[in-house]
Amino acid sequence: MPRFRLEFVDDGSTVDVEADDFDDDGQWVSLYNYLPPAADPAHPDTTKEVVASFERTSLAGPPRPVA
């Protein structure tokens, strides 16, 4: 499963989150998994399950993929 690293502006700490992808609406950054697992995101029956959300202002930038 893909992983994303988030860095926080207040103390420079980081957290890695396992997620398929993320959305950034300008206020919140939400990381999510597709359901069912390994589903095609373009398929009409595919849904998203949010696994973590953070206020955009608390992050130093967008989530970065971790190898």
Side-chain angles (χ1 to χ4, degrees), residues 12 14 18 43 47:
T14 61
E18 287 187 355
H43 192 277
T47 60

Side-chain angles (χ1 to χ4, degrees), residues 7-19:
E7 182 179 352
F8 296 91
V9 295
D10 60 345
D11 62 1
S13 65
T14 61
V15 64
D16 290 353
V17 177
E18 287 187 355

Side-chain angles (χ1 to χ4, degrees), residues 37-50:
D40 177 359
H43 192 277
D45 291 335
T46 299
T47 60
K48 296 178 185 179
E49 175 185 47
V50 174

Side-chain angles (χ1 to χ4, degrees), residues 14-35:
T14 61
V15 64
D16 290 353
V17 177
E18 287 187 355
D20 290 323
D21 208 350
F22 69 92
D23 286 329
D24 182 350
D25 69 6
Q27 291 185 317
W28 291 91
V29 173
S30 298
L31 295 102
Y32 57 86
N33 290 327
Y34 294 116
L35 295 176

